[in-house]
Amino acid sequence: MMRYLHAEWTKLRTLPSTGRLLLALVAVTVAVSVAAATVVSCASAGCGYDPAKISLFGIQAGQAVVAVLAVGAISGEFGTGLIRTTLAAMPNRIAVLAVKAVLLTGLTLAAGGLAVLGSALAGQRILLGNGFPPALLAFDGPMVRAAVGSVLYLALVALLSLGIATAVRDSAAAIGVVLGLLYLFPAVILMIPDPDLATLLWQISPTTAGLTIQATTQLSGLPLSPWAGLGVLAAWAGAALVTGGLLLRARDA
């Protein structure tokens, strides 16, 4: 297993895009979060916004960068034919995918942690200047859960993307499928006239369900609790990895 880890880490760290994408994840997430916090203010009559969601709004942009990073971690090998060399040197295909998942998760957690920390600190400071009461901006249990959950959300998006890329094998198609799940699926839900069906789709969507982990206000009105919502995304990621692993083992290359 150490040989597998060393080989996959060498490939991942020597990809020119890896470092740039990790930096882009931090920069994009913080920039979008700052922009969202800048345009929101709290009226004297009361705040109708969840400060945690606003401070961490950049996660919705950063997840696209994570998807591209994760897809590139394996689809490039399919495109160049390098996957045949990889599997010849490391015949345990499930172990290859597992090692890629571990390394990708570690990188995403590290960069995602920096992105979330920067977003939370900058966003909270801006919101305080925009009229939000300090009590709403305290780094207490709910805010800590939203921040930690957002980092886990990014890691699960990475695993979901890796599983889909392993199953699809084509970079463009895999990115299209992942971005469709992350952005198009929630948009379709908004156009469903039946409220019961819309709620059901909301509960099973990896994005809308997963991002409930950021909610710190009006929790009783949510269709899912924060951790249950993140569990939905975890189920999607697990299913994608299992499917990708089975197909990787069944195919010639």
Side-chain angles (χ1 to χ4, degrees):
M1 187 58 69
M2 290 303 298
R3 180 166 61 90
Y4 281 41
L5 279 168
H6 182 266
E8 290 301 323
W9 171 241
T10 301
K11 285 190 291 184
L12 189 59
R13 69 179 175 82
T14 54
L15 281 175
S17 60
T18 300
R20 292 196 294 266
L21 287 172
L22 291 173
L23 289 175
L25 169 59
V26 177
V28 168
T29 302
V30 174
V32 173
S33 295
V34 167
T38 301
V39 300
V40 173
S41 60
C42 183
S44 58
C47 293
Y49 301 100
D50 187 329
K53 284 188 174 183
I54 298 170
S55 299
L56 301 172
F57 187 78
I59 294 296
Q60 299 188 42
Q63 65 182 355
V65 181
V66 171
V68 173
L69 172 67
V71 168
I74 192 168
S75 61
E77 293 189 59
F78 285 115
T80 60
L82 181 61
I83 190 67
R84 295 185 179 88
T85 304
T86 297
L87 297 179
M90 298 179 289
N92 190 331
R93 300 185 176 203
I94 299 301
V96 169
L97 182 59
V99 167
K100 286 182 181 291
V102 169
L103 293 174
L104 189 62
T105 299
L107 288 175
T108 305
L109 288 174
L114 290 175
V116 166
L117 180 61
S119 297
L121 292 176
Q124 301 292 75
R125 185 177 182 86
I126 294 171
L127 292 178
L128 184 62
N130 287 354
F132 279 74
L136 284 179
L137 303 176
F139 276 89
D140 53 8
M143 184 60 196
V144 171
R145 183 253 299 152
V148 172
S150 294
V151 178
L152 295 176
Y153 175 90
L154 291 175
L156 290 172
V157 168
L159 295 178
L160 171 67
S161 304
L162 178 65
I164 291 175
T166 305
V168 175
R169 297 194 292 183
D170 179 76
S171 297
I175 291 175
V177 171
V178 174
L179 295 185
L181 283 173
L182 296 180
Y183 297 106
L184 184 59
F185 194 171
V188 170
I189 295 174
L190 297 176
M191 297 184 288
I192 301 295
D194 186 346
D196 293 332
L197 178 58
T199 300
L200 175 62
L201 293 176
W202 191 99
Q203 291 173 327
I204 64 174
S205 166
T207 303
T208 54
L211 286 175
T212 57
I213 195 64
Q214 295 181 345
T216 60
T217 62
Q218 301 177 349
L219 298 182
S220 60
L222 295 174
L224 287 172
S225 67
W227 287 112
L230 194 65
V232 171
L233 176 57
W236 276 88
L241 283 174
V242 169
T243 301
L246 292 176
L247 290 175
L248 181 65
R249 189 170 63 176
R251 291 166 174 159
D252 291 335

